[in-house]
Amino acid sequence: MKKEELQSIASQLKKPEGEKGIEMANMMHETNINMTLSSIRNLHISEGDSILELGHGNAAHLEYLMQQSTHLKYYGLEMSELMFQEARQINRNYVSQKQAFFLLYDGNKIPFPDAQFNKIFTVNTLYFWQEPVKLLMEIYRVLDNKGIFSLTFAQESFMKKLPFTEFEFELYDTKKVENLISQTPFKISSSETQTEKVKSKTGEFVDREFTTVVLEK
């Protein structure tokens, strides 16, 4: 693949746009579903939870999340206008019933008051955070005192084999994530690493190692 094609893939992964963005979102949903389900399972969702997701993509996983308990409220934040529209369309029933709320944001400032959520999660967004410590502090701010944050990412050892990650991506392993978290008041309550076989964005099947770190106040 040419450099321009790899840069285009990286850019679409960060912020899907146009027709290619729809295709990329569908592919991301399929290839990332195990990571997403791991992140959701680690939230231990219970009745009445108020849940925030950062970078929801097309949010085709929302139905699974809503099946975890009753009287849930889901809020999704996204930088991509295209994904914001797609998620609202795919989940229009939840939107019309005022169970799901989608908003655009700048990727830095979370547009909610303090302690609004008791469960927060994000999958495969860490690589694109412009100021990771500041965003972690924002997540800490909007999480209530007994809340938990589930952070899921693919390990650097896997990610660096993908040719497009040299553009736009900041890669992480567990130690680097722990170092990041140590600069915040968050405490790590658990960390779980799994390996799965996935089809990469360039078409071949590869073993992916991914980790879900659960943080609490």
Side-chain angles (χ1 to χ4, degrees):
M1 268 194 186
K2 293 179 183 163
K3 180 181 174 182
E4 292 78 16
E5 291 175 289
L6 295 172
Q7 282 177 313
S8 175
I9 290 173
S11 182
Q12 287 287 6
L13 288 168
K14 180 179 181 180
K15 190 178 178 183
E17 294 177 325
E19 275 184 40
K20 287 263 191 232
I22 299 279
E23 288 173 27
M24 186 61 78
N26 291 333
M27 186 192 287
M28 280 195 286
H29 170 70
E30 289 170 19
T31 58
N32 294 338
I33 191 62
N34 284 337
M35 296 180 73
T36 304
L37 298 186
S38 169
S39 215
I40 292 170
R41 278 195 301 270
N42 275 282
L43 290 175
H44 304 294
I45 291 169
S46 56
E47 184 178 1
D49 277 350
S50 183
I51 304 160
L52 174 66
E53 180 179 12
L54 277 63
H56 52 69
N58 67 12
H61 53 276
L62 183 55
E63 186 163 359
Y64 171 82
L65 183 149
M66 286 297 194
Q67 290 168 351
Q68 301 309 299
S69 194
T70 55
H71 302 107
L72 301 177
K73 282 274 197 293
Y74 167 94
Y75 297 79
L77 288 178
E78 182 56 71
M79 293 194 299
S80 164
E81 170 82 35
L82 179 68
M83 291 301 95
F84 165 72
Q85 299 292 355
E86 273 287 285
R88 280 180 57 83
Q89 173 61 22
I90 289 170
N91 299 289
R92 55 193 175 278
N93 290 341
Y94 292 119
V95 172
S96 66
Q97 292 162 18
K98 294 193 166 30
Q99 289 179 277
F101 307 85
F102 294 97
L103 294 92
L104 284 162
Y105 84 131
D106 64 3
N108 298 305
K109 183 80 179 158
I110 296 178
F112 292 106
D114 295 358
Q116 166 130 357
F117 305 99
N118 57 333
K119 304 286 167 71
I120 301 177
F121 74 108
T122 192
V123 180
N124 281 334
T125 68
L126 175 62
Y127 333 111
F128 308 119
W129 292 5
Q130 294 163 350
E131 297 184 89
V133 174
K134 281 189 180 177
L135 187 54
L136 277 172
M137 291 306 298
E138 273 289 277
I139 293 166
Y140 189 87
R141 179 184 66 78
V142 298
L143 193 64
D144 78 14
N145 283 330
K146 292 186 178 173
I148 60 172
F149 169 45
S150 182
L151 172 64
T152 301
F153 62 97
Q155 289 282 342
E156 180 175 11
S157 55
F158 163 76
M159 294 291 284
K160 69 184 181 186
K161 294 175 188 170
L162 307 177
F164 51 81
T165 59
E166 68 177 286
F167 310 102
E168 311 244 14
F169 284 73
E170 177 71 34
L171 304 183
Y172 289 84
D173 58 17
T174 302
K175 189 166 185 178
K176 194 170 172 182
V177 169
E178 287 172 351
N179 180 53
L180 197 61
I181 293 159
S182 73
Q183 298 170 63
T184 76
F186 270 121
K187 301 180 197 71
I188 297 174
S189 65
S190 68
S191 180
E192 171 187 71
T193 298
Q194 301 175 53
T195 304
E196 61 173 344
K197 199 167 281 295
V198 292
K199 191 176 183 181
S200 82
K201 306 295 181 295
T202 46
E204 66 275 18
F205 281 92
V206 287
D207 286 323
R208 172 168 65 188
E209 190 175 37
F210 71 88
T211 300
T212 296
V213 178
V214 180
L215 309 179
E216 57 187 23
K217 276 196 166 185

